[in-house]
Every structure is written in C-alpha cells, then in structure tokens.
Amino acid sequence: MTHRVTFMPHNREINVEDGASLIRAAMDAGVHINASCGGEGVCGKCRVIIESGEIGGGISEHLSSADREKGYRLACKATVHSDLVVRVPVESAIDASVLKSTYVPRRTARIHERNLDDLKEAGLFLPPVEKRYLELAQPDVQDHLPDVTRLVSHLKLHHNESRLTVNLPVIRKLPDVMRQNNFNVTVTLARPVMESGKTEIINVQAGDTTACNYAIAMDIGTTTIYGQLIDLATGAVLAESGEFNAQISYGEDVITRIMYAEKPGGLERLQEVVVGTMNTIIGKIIRRAKIDPENIAAITLAGNTTMTQLLLKVEPRYIRRSPYVPASSLYPPIRAVDIGLEFCDHVTALVYPAISSYVGGDIVAGVMGSGLYMESPLTLFMDIGTNAEIVIGNKDWMACAACSAGPAFEGGGIKFGMRAAKGAIEDFSLDPVTWEPMLMTIGNVRPKGICGSGLIIMTAIMFELGLINNLGKFNRDLDTRRIREDDGVWEYVLAWADETQIDRDIVLTEIDIENLIRAKGAIYSGCMTLLTEVGMTMQDIDRIILAGGFGSYVDLEKAITIGLLPEIDPERVIFIGNSSLMGAKMSSLTNRIRRDVVEVTRSITNFELSETASYMDNYIAALFLPHTDLNLFPKVGARLAARKKG
Amino acid sequence: MTHRVTFMPHNREINVEDGASLIRAAMDAGVHINASCGGEGVCGKCRVIIESGEIGGGISEHLSSADREKGYRLACKATVHSDLVVRVPVESAIDASVLKSTYVPRRTARIHERNLDDLKEAGLFLPPVEKRYLELAQPDVQDHLPDVTRLVSHLKLHHNESRLTVNLPVIRKLPDVMRQNNFNVTVTLARPVMESGKTEIINVQAGDTTACNYAIAMDIGTTTIYGQLIDLATGAVLAESGEFNAQISYGEDVITRIMYAEKPGGLERLQEVVVGTMNTIIGKIIRRAKIDPENIAAITLAGNTTMTQLLLKVEPRYIRRSPYVPASSLYPPIRAVDIGLEFCDHVTALVYPAISSYVGGDIVAGVMGSGLYMESPLTLFMDIGTNAEIVIGNKDWMACAACSAGPAFEGGGIKFGMRAAKGAIEDFSLDPVTWEPMLMTIGNVRPKGICGSGLIIMTAIMFELGLINNLGKFNRDLDTRRIREDDGVWEYVLAWADETQIDRDIVLTEIDIENLIRAKGAIYSGCMTLLTEVGMTMQDIDRIILAGGFGSYVDLEKAITIGLLPEIDPERVIFIGNSSLMGAKMSSLTNRIRRDVVEVTRSITNFELSETASYMDNYIAALFLPHTDLNLFPKVGARLAARKKG
C-alpha cells in the first residue's frame, strides 16, 4: 500500500510505502528539512506540521506540549500511514525563495541483468558442463569391452559424441559405479573451449542424476569475495553468500598484498587465506541450497590480476614493478582441489583471463557478462573503486585502461571518511539561505562519518548552490558558523559533536574535497585519454555501464555535476552490480563466453595511462568542478549560469 | 684370446675364451661327460685325460696320484689356457656308439633390437618431449605483454609452433625463471598424440639446457620392475636398473595381488608398494647417470593389465571375474607426482594401453617396440611366463590371446623347480647307454634345483633318447638305478643327495614332466587356436618373436622337440628381451608410437581362449611330446624314426 505525501509550501508530492520514514520521503521529494543527526531524533531540528493524515511516532522531548498541540512533529521520528499533507516551517521570505528552485530527483543507474530466456532463445544456454544419462549394455562372455571403452562407444553411438577423453579419477570410479545400478550411469561432460577440442568425461555416477547439475560462480575481490550456486539445469541462482577476503589482515589493497607475498612464505600464506574464505562461502551456499556437493561440476572464478595470481600461487612481484607485467593472460582449467578448494576431485576451476596488471579478470568478466563485447552500442564501462578500470568499445573493438583514483570513493583520505556502513552520511541536502544541512545516514542513526556516495552528493550540492567554487574552495563570505577555518584548513560542519556518535564535530574539509576532485579527475581524464587515443569524444558514447558496489549508490546527476561521469542522459546509464560475479555466472551458463573470451582478451587494446602523453594534460584539466572546459558539461554549465543570474 | 679344444674320441672341436671352464666347453661342443654336481667338483665323475696343452686346476682328492700321473683331471675344475686335446674315457664299445650320434648345437634365439639410426633415417626420432632455447625480447614501457604471452608469441613467431597450452606449474615458475638469465629460457614441449592436438609447455628453465633432456622407460613386471634412463638428445640409454616388485610380499601372481587389493586398504597399499620400488629404481638410475632430475621430462610405463591398474589405483576386482573386464584400454597422460612418483612436478607419465584383462600394456609395448605392427612378415609373438601372451599378425591385422601356462616355466609345480638363480640346473646332457647325466648349474655350484630352461632341455633330451615316451613316462625297462618309483611316482635322479646343496636326491618326476607338457600344451594350442580363428596354420608364420626373460635362455631346438614352439628355422626366431621395457623405451624416442598405439589397440582382435570352442581340442592334442600330430613336427618325427631304426 502506498500513500501520497504532499509537502507544503513547496506543494511537492511523493508516493511512499506504508510505514516509510517521513524525513526520507522529504529527501526523496527534494524537500529540504534541517537535520543533522542522520534521522535518529537527537538534534530536534526536523520539525514539521502534520496538516492532515495519520502518522506514527514523531513525538520527542525536543517538542514542547504547545508545539505538539500545534501539530509539530519530528520528521525523522515519524512514519507515514496515510496520505499526508505536511508543512515545512519557513522562517523568512528569503527562505521561501528556495521553493522556486527546480528539483532534480535523485537518480541511480538502472539495473540491468542479461536475461536467461534471451540466452535460451539464442540457443546459447550451453553450460560448459553437461550431464547425460546412459543405459549401457552389460558385458558378457561375448562382450568384454573394457569399462571405459563401453562408456565411450555408447556415447559415440547413441549421443553423437566424439573426441572424448576420460581422466584418471573417472577411470578409478567407473568399474564400481557401472555395476552399482545395472550399468545405468550418468556422466558429466566438460565441453572444450573450441569446438575442435575434446570433451572430457569428468565424472560418472550410478543411476540418473541429470536433474542435479550445479556450478559455482565466484568473484574474488580484494575486499570481499562473493559466491553463487547455480543450477545448470535451469540457470537459476540457488544460493549466494559473501565474506570479507581474509587476506585483508595482510594488507588493505593489492600493493600491500603483493609486498606481503614477497616475504618468505608470504605467497603461500595469502593463498591459503583466500582459499579459506572461498571454502567458507562454498560451504555456506552448499548448505543453504541443500545440494549434494558431488553434483557440483565446475567453479568459475573472476578476480583482478593480483587476486588471481595470489589465488593460483603465481608470483605477483612484477605486477607492482615497472613495466608492470602480469604472469599470464589466460589460465588453463585447473583441478579445483589442486588449489585447495574443498570440492570433489572432479571439479574444474575456470579462471577469467586478465588483460594487464591492472585490468584483470574481474573486468574481463564484466565485459563478457554484460554482453558489451557482442553488442553494437559504443559503451563506456567503468568499475569505480580505489583502482578504476575503464573499457570503451563494442562488438567491433575495445580499449581499456586502469587508473589509480585513490581511496576517496571508499572514504579513504577523507577526514571523516568511512565505508558505506551504518552511521555513514549517504544523503544530503542544503538550505541555500541558511546553509543548514539535511543529513541522512545509513541505518538512520547519528552520523559517524561520510561514505563515498554521500561525499559526491554533498560536494555536488555545495558546488551547485555556491557553497564551494569550481576549485572546491568554500565561499568564505557566507554568513554561517558552519564554515570555519581550523588549523589553517577551511571546513564545513556537517554535524555538531552532540549530534554525532563520535562526540566530535563531523566536518567536510577543503582537503577532503581536493582528494575527491583528484579521484574523479583521474577517472574522467582516464576516459578522455582513452577516447582520444581511439579518436573519439564523449559525444560518441552511446551508453555507460557502471559496475562495482559503488555504481549502485551513486546519484548520477551529482556524479555528472562534479565531473566524475560525462554528461549523458541518465537513461543511458546502466548498472550491472558486481560485474565480476555476473561474468562468472554467465560463463557457467554459456560456454560461448569461454570461447569468445580468448579472442576478446587477445584483441582488446590496453593503454598504460602513465605512459600516454596526453593523460597528464587531461588530468590537470579535470581538476575542476566539473571541468576546466564547461563545454563538456553544457547542462551543468546552464544550471550554474541560471543560479548566478537568479 | 681363444683356444681350440679337441675332444676325443669324438674328434669334436670348439673354440673357447682363455680361462673358460673345460666342462662347459664339452657341454657346448655336445660332448657328454658324466657330471652330477653342477661343476663344483664334488662328484668326481667328470674325469678326462689331457692329451696335450695347458690347463689350470683340474686337481681333486677324487683323483689318485696314479690317475693324475696318467693325465686324468676333473673337467669341472679345469680351465682352458692353450689349445687342448682332451680324451673322454669310454668304458665300453657300446658307449663308443654314442659317438656316431649327430649333434645339434644348442641354439638360443638371435637377439634383435630396433636400430636407433634406422629411426633417425626414417625421420621418426621424434621424442614426445622436446626442448627449445629461446632468447626473448625484454619487456619495457612500450611492451608489457604478460610473461606467458611473451613466451607463446615468440614460439609462434620464431619456432613455427601453434596450438600451445601452458600449465599452471609453468605459469608459476615463469616470472622468476625468465628474469634469471635476461629472458633467455629453455622450454620443454610435450607433443600431442595426434597432430591436431595441442603442444603443452610443461617446463621452463633459465638459460640453455637443450643438451640435457631425459626420459625414463619402465617395465612394471609382476615379479620384477626394470627402468632405463634415456638421453632424448641422442637416444642412448644412460643407466638401467631392476628390482623385485615389492608387491611380491602380498602375492606371487596377479590373481593373489587382486585378491589382496580387494581387502580394505589393500589397493592403496599395493599402489604405495609398487611406487616405492619404482622410486628406488628411479633414484638409482638418476644417481648412476649423474643427471639433474629437473631435466627429466617424461616417464613411459608398460605393465600387464593388473599391474597397470594397481599402479594407477584402479579397482582390479573385475579382471579376475567372468567376463574378465578391465577398467580401461587407454589411459590419459598423468602427472607423475599424482601417483606418488618422486619427480619434479612437470613430469608426465605415459602409460601403455591394455587390450584385455590378460593381454596388457606389456604386450602392446612389445608389439609396438618390436616394430611388428608396422612390418610385413607374418609374426608369431610370444611372451612366455606363468601367463603366456600370444600375438599373431603384421602391419595389416593382428589377433591376440592369453593362456594360463601355469608356473612350470618359472619352476612352479616342479618338485625341485626353482627360478633361474645360482644352483639351478640350466643345462643337461644324457649318456644314451649308461643314462648317466651331465649337469651344469648357474654359477657352477652344486645343484639346488631345476629352472625352466633346464627343465625343457632335459625333457627334450630324455624324450629324444627314449628315456621318456611321448606321454612323458619313463621307460621302466632301462638298466639304471636312476629311474625309480617313489611313493607311486616314477622319477629320474639327476643328482644324488651328497652331490647337491640340499642333501636330498634331486629328481625329475613324471608329475613334473606332466606339468611341463600341460604348460607347453596350453601355449602351443593357444597359438593353434588363434591361427585357426584367423584361418591360418603354422606354415604361414614367417617368424617368431620371443619376449620375456625366458626367451633369452630357451634352447630353440629343445623347445621345438617338446612341442612348445612350432617347427621353424631357428634363424627365423628372434629374441627381443624385455619387450615391455623396449616398447617403453621406443615410445620415449618416437612419438609416432603413441599415435599409432591408439589405432593398434583398437584394431587388434582379442580372443578369449576359454570361450573359443576349438581351444580344448587343440589343448588335448598338444598334451604329447611333441604333439599328437607328428606331421606338425616333421623334423622331430624324422629324428625319432632314425633313432628307433638305429
């Protein structure tokens, strides 16, 4: 059930679910209500008058009984239970002028997932491992073919299979398994990458187990590892789970991990540790889905180049040394037990190939899993994190690059930066007259810090409203005690100490903004440089694919306002979530990807930005909000001009 | 230096090496001298008179000083040091009649080995593993190809290689190895079986190690395991060694081994034990040849079906149960370390395929290694042992069968039977008048028993001279105390207790002879049945190839006399020694065999004799000396007729 909430005097309406938070409804409607405590009800600022309709809660010691009788409530404590008319008190005529400002609703990227039905229709639902049920003739005195020969001949004769190989573990199982159920068996066939290759019989089971055939897809992230259990008969995800990569204890990022791996025994240790995390996830999803692990046939793995090499115990030291050479692009199929994964002997691990030291299998998985590599629209694929990877191209050609954005998007290098966790300021509004903020935190608790998406939103809003200029410097002339200088650094107070969880003023400093600008500048200039190298401009881009956790939270308009993303119709931006996991999953559903990825990996052009002359110029030009060249951001430019005029 | 020895009154001459034993010279010349102690000088019977020339030794307490003055010496204690005239005392005119008998010199099969030069000339010296030395371009800021890509591209560009795969252990080694010697490396390439297959890079080493490339060939016998270290650059055998298969403690033959393997943990135990023996041999030959084990690239293994399955830890229970089904014919290449062999990670184990439960990889190795499968002469290939395997055919077709000969040829089921070891009677002569024997033992020591080749010789001689009839029964009418009945069984005393090492009379019983006849009958009738099945007769056979240790000792004429071998010109019998080891070695020298063996294994027709109707008839007919149908042995028949007449 939804209710309509009308905010006055803005006369702005929004539909929300029954039980929704009133303050979040205001934020979503673009209605500013002063609020510093993230929605915990501590600051008492978010006073509104309920003119009609039913709310739950909203009462607080911050409201006198007189206030309450007048209909005042705290928006952060109120939940919506009917259509409402809510009046936001306006202190002055000047304040009221804000009402005229146009509101751009917050807009995250459209979620896009490749459709399994499309795959099936296109005849591409071809898992790399298949099962076949066989009723074999029983041997007798006239027919004493060896067991393997009996099996292979039957597959050739009755299933049109050819070029079959059988591995030793299957040969070991075969004699007993064949005789367990009157020579009725189910074989698991692992398909070759190329059609000219050989199909390997990797498992044999007594009776008919064709209904139970599973694969696991896994994303080996530097921070987090995710796994999915996939039903190869239907394509459905039966269970999924994520865990922090236990390697974190040995270093937060890939560089510190590589340094640890260079110590004696370090590589072995990191390998054990990541496999430990993977085994935890595998155990969980197997238990959740309540399947027999014997019916798992394959695991597909995607990770960045360093994660891949650490997992496979391949010396990563040359990744971090010029000229930044990875050990390999392609990896052969590996017996999962050989790298310590707790599976049955027959499980094959398929590893996504890397392109370069800093464009790894996770990105390739995104390119393959999103379908980018086989579609026509010219696409800008971005996986934004500490290291941002960019791919530009379509089915005809692709180019890629990686740039080091620094940790700003994950809260690193930001005075009160934090990961997107409970207490992180993730949404923000600013009163353009009083410069009072409206803060929303994850979990609606008193703020602890600022997460990456919050940082982008507040920077964009401050810039649009003129609280900071295009260099990210605060307007020192404004009449608000929230802008102040502390130890030579200018800052804006988001929340006062008594409104926070940390008993300190939470501020946004000019250094924080500078770090954000460097980060977005690195990424934007990376895109620009890549485009220039292939003789194109941002205008040529048909769509943007955002990947990675960051992409699901970022407000597209705000990201454009600060110049992180190029100016593009938000409809053309799609979000594919964990592209690495998705790519791993798609590989489990269609062997076509394994065939195509060899060619994609070979043909994609990798640019080392540090060795591309124009990169530094592009970077310098991008160290402005949104950019030195406002022609690249005409709509942002128009809004800025309108504001100045108004 | 050789000397001529002339035996009188036979007037028979023989050339022997300086220092040779005089009694062995007599035996080799076909001159009978009574002797029961195997040449140790105990019986004192082998008295001869040295008429001219110089001997060493020959003095004994068995000779009185008068005898010595007359020139009497003991032949077994005398060595030849100059040309000699030696008179063998003849006690009577009847005895002298023996001198007229024609002498057929002992004749073992001609040793045959396939010539490496022929292989080279035919362009077939193509080891399955090759080394290539590569001087790779070094990476720089303009060229940061992944290490594996750099390697593979170089091989494609400069060595015309294609369809390459690289395994994980090589990827792990590559980054450091490349940088140890300025990107100069040696790769080891494992060739595919089929030309359409992929070449695998299995090892990489710093610098140029192309001169050092080795393989091991190994025969996994039920009793003994032999290994050879082969230099793949030259084809030479650098070292070899043999050890008893330590599985012997768990059963003497394949059936008892299979029974042990069926106990809990039995298969695992037998696998460990055989690998232990193999590792001992591998360690020895590596130490003897003083090579770096890192340069060993492959091991080729051949063994019978049971030995192969035990080694690979593949359930053998169905081998000994009707309808006698082996697990597999072909086995894939296996990582040697995976089965417990103490090699570097990269070593591949190639296993000879089996044809059936009782015609195994050792026989296939013989067929491939001897060249039989690619040559025109119609060949009867026989590997004679407890289980005898027979192959008939040539390059156009082949048929095979196995028959259980029983252990007679290895001394089993023979009252005083023993393996061919020190003290075994291995040569025999019989005085046709006095029926006194002349015994030679291995090591010229007092006899302990009778080995297989000795058994054949004595049976053949006794039969030709009429001591036994064509049913193997002793002539009860002869005037010799050596033929006697003991506990209802007739026997011939070869050596009296005081002439032996065992203080018992060593005898040959009618039961022993019966067992030998059964054994030779099984083999001969196996050949007959196989020939009949393919519509041929013994006359069609162009040559016989004898394999196995037995083949090197057996006196061909004697084997024909008892009807073990068909009557054939001994020139047409060749002996190839340990055919299993030879086949394993040949596979290390030419990959052609690995390609061809797939087709050979598929096309060879296996007959189960127990299910072939004519086998029992043929067997019954063969339970005579030499055979019921003397037309099959015309020369033997003629000699018998001549003897009876004379």
Side-chain angles (χ1 to χ4, degrees):
Chain A
M1 190 169 58
T2 63
H3 307 295
R4 169 170 301 187
V5 183
T6 308
F7 290 98
M8 300 300 293
H10 317 64
N11 199 24
R12 195 168 285 159
E13 295 181 341
I14 188 167
N15 291 320
V16 301
E17 288 296 312
D18 186 66
S21 153
L22 185 56
I23 197 166
R24 187 139 321 250
M27 179 65 94
D28 292 347
V31 171
H32 177 90
I33 302 174
N34 289 348
S36 307
C37 68
E40 194 174 316
V42 179
C43 70
K45 289 175 182 160
C46 57
R47 293 151 59 103
V48 293
I49 300 163
I50 308 301
E51 293 195 335
S52 76
E54 289 295 316
I55 63 160
I59 311 298
S60 153
E61 74 266 26
H62 289 287
L63 297 172
S64 66
S65 57
D67 286 342
R68 274 183 263 169
E69 274 172 31
K70 285 180 198 156
Y72 279 99
R73 296 291 184 272
L74 287 191
C76 72
K77 307 289 278 183
T79 51
V80 181
H81 294 285
S82 73
D83 289 356
L84 295 178
V85 176
V86 180
R87 179 164 297 273
V88 182
V90 177
E91 316 281 330
S92 67
I94 301 165
D95 290 4
S97 69
V98 176
L99 305 180
K100 292 176 206 153
S101 71
T102 50
Y103 166 64
V104 183
R106 186 176 172 184
R107 175 74 175 272
T108 53
R110 189 160 48 92
I111 290 170
H112 171 83
E113 206 171 330
R114 276 178 80 192
N115 195 317
L116 187 63
D117 292 331
D118 293 349
L119 212 60
K120 287 177 180 172
E121 248 171 57
L124 291 178
F125 182 48
L126 299 166
V129 281
E130 287 177 57
K131 281 190 170 185
R132 290 268 183 280
Y133 172 62
L134 317 174
E135 297 183 349
L136 303 171
Q138 300 197 28
D140 60 34
V141 292
Q142 294 306 315
D143 166 14
H144 23 66
L145 283 179
D147 292 337
V148 171
T149 311
R150 180 174 308 278
L151 185 73
V152 168
S153 305
H154 184 99
L155 278 163
K156 286 185 176 172
L157 200 62
H158 299 288
H159 292 260
N160 202 26
E161 296 286 347
S162 60
R163 297 181 65 70
L164 292 161
T165 68
V166 189
N167 64 34
L168 184 57
V170 170
I171 298 176
R172 285 180 178 152
K173 288 178 74 174
L174 196 57
D176 283 339
V177 166
M178 272 186 163
R179 290 164 181 84
Q180 268 168 38
N181 196 341
N182 294 319
F183 289 77
N184 297 329
V185 299
T186 300
V187 289
T188 307
L189 304 177
R191 296 300 182 190
V193 174
M194 300 299 170
E195 274 171 37
S196 64
K198 291 187 177 179
T199 291
E200 189 176 1
I201 302 175
I202 59 166
N203 199 18
V204 60
Q205 296 169 300
D208 185 353
T209 70
T210 48
C212 305
N213 191 19
Y214 308 107
I216 285 178
M218 201 168 264
D219 159 44
I220 319 293
T222 310
T223 306
T224 317
I225 300 179
Y226 294 98
Q228 288 183 329
L229 183 74
I230 299 154
D231 184 336
L232 296 182
T234 65
V237 174
L238 299 184
E240 52 191 326
S241 178
E243 296 280 329
F244 280 111
N245 183 338
Q247 285 180 342
I248 281 182
S249 318
Y250 303 88
E252 287 257 323
D253 53 33
V254 297
I255 297 302
T256 49
R257 303 264 174 95
I258 294 173
M259 287 165 67
Y260 186 86
E262 290 177 21
K263 295 179 184 175
L267 178 55
E268 289 70 20
R269 183 77 195 125
L270 290 181
Q271 203 270 344
E272 275 167 28
V273 156
V274 71
V275 166
T277 303
M278 293 167 73
N279 282 334
T280 302
I281 293 170
I282 291 163
K284 274 190 187 172
I285 57 184
I286 287 174
R287 279 192 303 278
R288 278 184 202 161
K290 296 190 179 68
I291 61 141
D292 180 353
E294 162 86 18
N295 288 315
I296 295 175
I299 177 167
T300 303
L301 305 169
N304 64 45
T305 306
T306 302
M307 286 304 109
T308 302
Q309 291 197 201
L310 291 179
L311 172 62
L312 301 180
K313 219 189 288 181
V314 176
E315 177 62 73
R317 73 175 65 222
Y318 308 105
I319 289 177
R320 76 175 187 99
R321 287 176 169 78
S322 175
Y324 313 112
V325 176
S328 191
S329 175
L330 299 163
Y331 288 90
I334 293 159
R335 278 216 313 170
V337 291
D338 280 352
I339 55 170
L341 292 174
E342 288 165 2
F343 282 118
C344 298
D345 260 12
H346 66 269
V347 176
T348 305
L350 304 171
V351 180
Y352 255 106
I355 293 167
S356 64
S357 277
Y358 294 101
V359 180
D362 50 348
I363 301 307
V364 177
V367 166
M368 303 308 292
S370 67
L372 157 54
Y373 83 98
M374 54 192 296
E375 292 170 1
S376 299
L378 190 67
T379 304
L380 170 60
F381 175 101
M382 302 170 83
D383 190 333
I384 297 172
T386 303
N387 288 293
E389 295 93 355
I390 306 159
V391 181
I392 294 175
N394 61 9
K395 65 183 170 61
D396 300 319
W397 60 272
M398 276 182 277
C400 68
C403 45
S404 178
F409 296 122
E410 283 156 10
I414 306 300
K415 190 165 185 179
F416 288 90
M418 65 180 286
R419 289 186 186 277
K422 204 169 176 179
I425 301 169
E426 52 136 10
D427 214 342
F428 178 83
S429 168
L430 185 65
D431 187 311
V433 175
T434 63
W435 308 109
E436 284 300 299
M438 176 185 187
L439 308 180
M440 299 298 296
T441 61
I442 295 175
N444 295 334
V445 295
R446 280 182 287 172
K448 274 163 75 176
I450 310 164
C451 68
S453 57
L455 181 66
I456 290 170
I457 288 172
M458 62 183 68
T459 303
I461 288 174
M462 287 175 179
F463 172 59
E464 277 225 28
L465 296 183
L467 191 77
I468 55 176
N469 64 15
N470 65 355
L471 293 165
K473 302 302 176 196
F474 289 108
N475 185 340
R476 277 95 167 115
D477 301 333
L478 297 181
D479 179 21
T480 168
R481 59 184 184 130
R482 287 188 182 263
I483 295 177
R484 68 189 187 188
E485 191 181 3
D486 181 36
D487 209 9
V489 178
W490 286 79
E491 61 191 26
Y492 173 89
V493 181
L494 291 158
W496 304 104
D498 59 358
E499 298 162 344
T500 72
Q501 288 188 53
I502 57 175
D503 294 326
R504 283 188 296 152
D505 294 350
I506 292 178
V507 302
L508 178 71
T509 73
E510 286 186 353
I511 294 173
D512 296 341
I513 298 170
E514 197 176 305
N515 282 333
L516 176 66
I517 291 174
R518 283 179 198 278
K520 75 93 190 174
I523 293 169
Y524 189 84
S525 55
C527 297
M528 289 293 280
T529 308
L530 207 48
L531 281 164
T532 309
E533 290 291 321
V534 297
M536 297 200 160
T537 71
M538 285 289 186
Q539 265 73 47
D540 297 310
I541 297 295
D542 293 317
R543 64 172 179 180
I544 293 177
I545 294 180
L546 293 181
F550 185 77
S552 68
Y553 298 110
V554 71
D555 181 330
L556 297 179
E557 288 290 351
K558 303 295 185 292
I560 291 169
T561 301
I562 67 164
L564 167 59
L565 297 183
E567 204 164 82
I568 190 171
D569 175 1
E571 273 298 317
R572 294 188 172 188
V573 183
I574 59 179
F575 169 62
I576 56 165
N578 184 333
S579 61
S580 172
L581 185 62
M582 187 187 56
K585 176 188 150 190
M586 293 304 294
S587 279
S588 305
L589 298 178
T590 174
N591 207 29
R592 170 76 179 272
I593 287 184
R594 283 179 66 212
R595 199 182 80 195
D596 294 344
V597 78
V598 177
E599 184 53 30
V600 166
T601 312
R602 190 179 291 138
S603 63
I604 198 164
T605 311
N606 180 60
F607 288 90
E608 288 291 328
L609 294 179
S610 58
E611 290 145 21
T612 309
S614 61
Y615 180 63
M616 194 44 73
D617 294 342
N618 279 323
Y619 177 63
I620 300 289
L623 293 180
F624 287 79
L625 295 174
H627 194 272
T628 320
D629 181 2
L630 264 184
N631 291 328
L632 292 169
F633 292 85
K635 284 182 195 151
V636 177
R639 288 208 301 278
L640 292 173
R643 181 177 59 79
K644 274 179 184 151
K645 245 196 291 175
Chain B
M1 190 168 59
T2 62
H3 306 295
R4 169 168 302 185
V5 183
T6 308
F7 290 98
M8 300 302 290
H10 316 63
N11 198 23
R12 195 170 285 158
E13 295 181 343
I14 190 168
N15 290 320
V16 300
E17 286 297 311
D18 186 64
S21 152
L22 183 56
I23 197 165
R24 193 153 298 266
M27 178 67 93
D28 291 348
V31 171
H32 178 88
I33 303 173
N34 290 346
S36 307
C37 69
E40 194 174 316
V42 179
C43 69
K45 288 177 183 158
C46 57
R47 293 150 60 103
V48 292
I49 300 162
I50 308 301
E51 294 195 334
S52 74
E54 288 295 314
I55 62 159
I59 310 300
S60 154
E61 72 266 25
H62 289 286
L63 296 173
S64 64
S65 56
D67 285 342
R68 273 184 264 167
E69 274 171 31
K70 286 180 197 154
Y72 278 99
R73 295 291 184 274
L74 287 191
C76 71
K77 306 290 276 183
T79 51
V80 182
H81 294 285
S82 73
D83 288 357
L84 295 179
V85 176
V86 178
R87 178 165 297 273
V88 181
V90 175
E91 317 280 330
S92 67
I94 301 166
D95 290 4
S97 70
V98 176
L99 304 179
K100 293 176 205 152
S101 71
T102 50
Y103 167 64
V104 182
R106 186 174 172 185
R107 174 75 174 271
T108 54
R110 190 160 48 93
I111 290 170
H112 170 83
E113 206 171 330
R114 275 179 79 193
N115 196 317
L116 186 64
D117 292 331
D118 293 349
L119 212 60
K120 287 178 181 171
E121 249 172 56
L124 291 178
F125 182 48
L126 299 166
V129 280
E130 289 177 56
K131 282 190 169 186
R132 290 269 183 279
Y133 172 62
L134 316 174
E135 297 184 350
L136 302 171
Q138 300 197 27
D140 59 34
V141 292
Q142 294 306 315
D143 166 14
H144 22 66
L145 284 179
D147 292 337
V148 171
T149 311
R150 179 174 308 279
L151 185 74
V152 168
S153 306
H154 185 100
L155 277 164
K156 286 185 175 170
L157 201 61
H158 299 289
H159 292 259
N160 202 27
E161 296 286 348
S162 62
R163 297 180 64 70
L164 292 162
T165 68
V166 189
N167 64 33
L168 184 58
V170 169
I171 297 175
R172 285 179 178 152
K173 287 178 74 175
L174 195 58
D176 284 338
V177 166
M178 272 186 163
R179 289 163 181 85
Q180 267 168 38
N181 195 342
N182 294 319
F183 289 78
N184 297 329
V185 299
T186 300
V187 289
T188 306
L189 305 177
R191 297 301 182 189
V193 173
M194 300 298 168
E195 273 171 38
S196 64
K198 290 187 177 181
T199 291
E200 189 176 1
I201 301 175
I202 59 166
N203 198 19
V204 58
Q205 296 169 299
D208 184 354
T209 70
T210 47
C212 304
N213 191 19
Y214 308 108
I216 285 177
M218 202 167 264
D219 159 45
I220 320 292
T222 310
T223 307
T224 317
I225 300 179
Y226 294 97
Q228 289 183 328
L229 184 74
I230 298 153
D231 184 336
L232 296 182
T234 65
V237 174
L238 301 183
E240 53 191 326
S241 178
E243 297 279 330
F244 280 111
N245 183 339
Q247 285 180 342
I248 281 182
S249 320
Y250 303 88
E252 287 257 325
D253 53 33
V254 297
I255 297 301
T256 50
R257 303 264 174 95
I258 293 173
M259 287 164 67
Y260 186 87
E262 290 176 23
K263 296 180 183 174
L267 178 56
E268 290 69 22
R269 182 78 196 124
L270 290 181
Q271 202 270 345
E272 275 168 28
V273 157
V274 69
V275 166
T277 303
M278 293 168 73
N279 282 332
T280 302
I281 293 170
I282 291 164
K284 274 190 187 170
I285 57 183
I286 287 174
R287 279 193 303 278
R288 278 184 201 161
K290 297 191 179 67
I291 61 140
D292 180 353
E294 161 85 20
N295 288 315
I296 295 175
I299 178 168
T300 303
L301 304 168
N304 64 46
T305 306
T306 302
M307 286 304 110
T308 301
Q309 291 195 201
L310 291 178
L311 172 63
L312 301 180
K313 219 189 288 180
V314 176
E315 177 62 73
R317 74 174 66 224
Y318 308 105
I319 289 178
R320 77 175 186 98
R321 286 176 169 77
S322 175
Y324 313 112
V325 175
S328 191
S329 174
L330 298 163
Y331 288 91
I334 293 157
R335 279 214 316 168
V337 292
D338 280 351
I339 54 170
L341 292 175
E342 288 165 3
F343 282 118
C344 297
D345 261 9
H346 66 269
V347 176
T348 304
L350 305 171
V351 180
Y352 256 106
I355 292 167
S356 66
S357 278
Y358 294 100
V359 180
D362 50 347
I363 302 307
V364 177
V367 165
M368 303 309 291
S370 67
L372 157 55
Y373 82 99
M374 54 192 295
E375 293 170 359
S376 300
L378 190 67
T379 305
L380 170 60
F381 175 102
M382 302 170 84
D383 190 334
I384 298 172
T386 303
N387 289 292
E389 294 94 355
I390 305 159
V391 182
I392 294 175
N394 61 9
K395 65 183 170 58
D396 300 319
W397 61 272
M398 276 182 277
C400 67
C403 45
S404 178
F409 298 121
E410 282 156 9
I414 306 300
K415 189 164 185 181
F416 288 90
M418 65 180 286
R419 289 185 185 279
K422 204 169 174 180
I425 300 169
E426 52 139 9
D427 215 341
F428 178 83
S429 170
L430 185 65
D431 187 308
V433 175
T434 63
W435 308 109
E436 284 300 298
M438 175 186 186
L439 307 181
M440 299 298 297
T441 60
I442 295 175
N444 295 336
V445 295
R446 280 182 286 172
K448 274 163 75 176
I450 310 164
C451 68
S453 58
L455 181 66
I456 290 171
I457 288 171
M458 62 183 68
T459 304
I461 289 173
M462 287 174 178
F463 173 59
E464 278 226 25
L465 297 182
L467 192 75
I468 54 176
N469 65 15
N470 64 357
L471 292 166
K473 303 302 177 196
F474 290 108
N475 185 338
R476 278 94 164 114
D477 301 333
L478 297 180
D479 179 22
T480 169
R481 58 183 187 130
R482 287 189 183 262
I483 295 176
R484 68 188 188 190
E485 190 180 4
D486 182 35
D487 209 7
V489 178
W490 286 79
E491 61 191 25
Y492 174 88
V493 182
L494 291 158
W496 304 104
D498 59 358
E499 298 162 346
T500 72
Q501 288 188 53
I502 56 175
D503 296 325
R504 284 189 295 152
D505 294 351
I506 293 177
V507 301
L508 178 71
T509 72
E510 286 186 352
I511 294 173
D512 296 342
I513 298 170
E514 196 176 306
N515 282 333
L516 176 67
I517 291 174
R518 283 178 198 280
K520 75 94 190 173
I523 293 169
Y524 188 84
S525 55
C527 298
M528 289 293 280
T529 308
L530 207 48
L531 281 164
T532 309
E533 290 292 322
V534 298
M536 297 198 161
T537 71
M538 284 290 186
Q539 265 72 47
D540 297 310
I541 298 295
D542 293 317
R543 63 171 179 180
I544 293 177
I545 294 180
L546 292 181
F550 186 76
S552 68
Y553 298 110
V554 71
D555 181 328
L556 298 179
E557 288 291 352
K558 303 293 185 291
I560 291 169
T561 301
I562 67 164
L564 167 60
L565 297 182
E567 204 163 82
I568 191 172
D569 175 2
E571 272 300 314
R572 293 189 173 189
V573 183
I574 59 178
F575 170 61
I576 56 165
N578 184 332
S579 62
S580 172
L581 185 62
M582 187 187 55
K585 175 187 150 191
M586 293 305 294
S587 278
S588 304
L589 299 179
T590 175
N591 207 30
R592 170 76 179 272
I593 287 184
R594 283 179 66 212
R595 200 183 79 198
D596 293 345
V597 79
V598 178
E599 185 51 33
V600 166
T601 311
R602 190 178 293 138
S603 63
I604 198 164
T605 311
N606 180 60
F607 288 89
E608 288 290 330
L609 295 180
S610 59
E611 289 146 23
T612 308
S614 61
Y615 181 64
M616 194 46 72
D617 295 340
N618 280 322
Y619 176 64
I620 301 288
L623 293 180
F624 287 79
L625 294 173
H627 195 272
T628 321
D629 181 3
L630 264 184
N631 291 328
L632 292 168
F633 292 83
K635 284 182 195 153
V636 176
R639 286 207 303 276
L640 292 173
R643 181 177 61 78
K644 275 180 183 153
K645 244 195 296 179

